Every structure is written in C-alpha cells, then in structure tokens.
Amino acid sequence: MSSKSTRRHRQLTVEIQAALREAKSQLTVLNQRVGTHLELRDIELTCLDILSRHKQLSPGALAREAGLHPATMTGILDRLERGGWIERSRDASDRRAVIVQNRRERGAELLGLYSGMNEAVQGICQDYDEDQLDLIVGFLRRMSAAGHAAAEDLA
C-alpha cells in the first residue's frame, strides 16, 4: 500500500470505530427508553434478547451469555418471571434441570417498541445489494466475535 492509501485506510478505520461508538450510544438510548416504557432494566432487556435468539436456555447458560454470575441471574429471572416476561420449566430429559424461555404474549409488546428501529434497518438495507449486505453481515459478525473475545479477556 502506498503511504496515501495507508493514511486513508487508517482514517477510514478511525471513522468506523467512531461510527460504531455512536451506534452503540444510540442503541443504548433506545434500550433505555424501551426499558423505561416496560419498567425493565438494561440487563433484563439483554437477557430477553439472548433468550429470543436461543429460544430457551438453562439459567447457567443464560448467565454465561450475559456475562453474569449465576447468583445474579437468579434475581434477574425472579424479576422477569414476576413480570410475566419469562417462564421456567423442567427439562423433559432431566427433571432436575431448569429451562428458561420468553413468554410469547409479552414478546409482541417488546417488539412493538422496537418496530421503528426495525423498519429503519429494513429501509437502510434496501439501499445495498446482496454482495454489500453479505460484506456488512460478515463485518458485524466479526465485530461481535471481537467484542466477545475482549470481554472474555477481561473476565
């Protein structure tokens, strides 16, 4: 790479880092507002999101995914269950094991508060062709993996 392209590459990298920080800030504000509407804490929203992606998890697996101590997870699950957000049931293959999953009837309420953002993302994605979207998906997955690795290093 020439010095000019190297300089441009560094500049774009800095711009990407700044854009990611701004996106994180704006998503944090969105989550705070959703949480305020639903009387849910940030970590509770995070747990509901993790459960929506995995469908069901043991409390221990959910704690690991959320980066929490299992004892902390118990209190969060108690609060979410009292609020009607989740249900705990016994694993059919091991009656001693507990499985946690979101309650469908509350999911629509949560999804409705994110509908503006979801529609905006769909509109933004329409501006890109499939190859560009593949590139973006790959970039975001690599960013998520890097974030996960960095968090593990700090654990």
Side-chain angles (χ1 to χ4, degrees):
M1 263 194 272
S2 70
S3 65
K4 185 175 182 174
S5 65
T6 301
R7 202 173 324 125
R8 179 69 178 142
H9 190 274
R10 279 193 309 260
Q11 178 186 16
L12 287 169
T13 299
V14 168
E15 287 182 34
I16 288 169
Q17 289 170 324
L20 286 169
R21 284 193 309 272
E22 177 62 20
K24 184 236 177 245
S25 294
Q26 293 306 316
L27 291 172
T28 297
V29 170
L30 174 60
N31 284 338
Q32 287 170 344
R33 293 197 176 149
V34 167
T36 298
H37 279 305
L38 300 174
E39 298 180 356
L40 291 172
R41 298 176 185 133
D42 245 9
I43 192 60
E44 293 165 344
L45 283 172
T46 297
C47 289
L48 291 173
D49 182 53
I50 292 168
L51 284 170
S52 74
R53 286 184 279 124
H54 291 275
K55 304 303 178 214
Q56 61 181 27
L57 289 170
S58 70
L62 180 56
R64 281 189 298 281
E65 285 285 322
L68 297 171
H69 189 278
T72 303
M73 182 55 62
T74 299
I76 291 168
L77 293 177
D78 288 346
R79 183 169 151 71
L80 288 172
E81 190 171 40
R82 276 193 309 273
W85 291 101
I86 59 137
E87 59 188 14
R88 292 184 252 203
S89 57
R90 296 285 176 197
D91 186 333
S93 62
D94 179 359
R95 297 292 299 154
R96 295 168 297 171
V98 173
I99 296 296
V100 181
Q101 60 189 31
N102 287 340
R103 294 190 62 205
R104 290 178 129 174
E105 50 275 9
R106 295 300 304 264
E109 183 180 357
L110 184 60
L111 195 58
L113 293 170
Y114 285 106
S115 65
M117 183 64 184
N118 289 334
E119 289 170 13
V121 169
Q122 289 174 2
I124 291 166
C125 287
Q126 288 178 358
D127 294 339
Y128 297 92
D129 65 34
E130 289 180 13
D131 289 339
Q132 291 170 318
L133 291 173
D134 277 339
L135 181 68
I136 293 167
V137 166
F139 174 80
L140 292 173
R141 285 189 176 144
R142 290 178 68 192
M143 290 301 305
S144 293
H148 178 79
E152 287 296 309
D153 288 346
L154 292 174

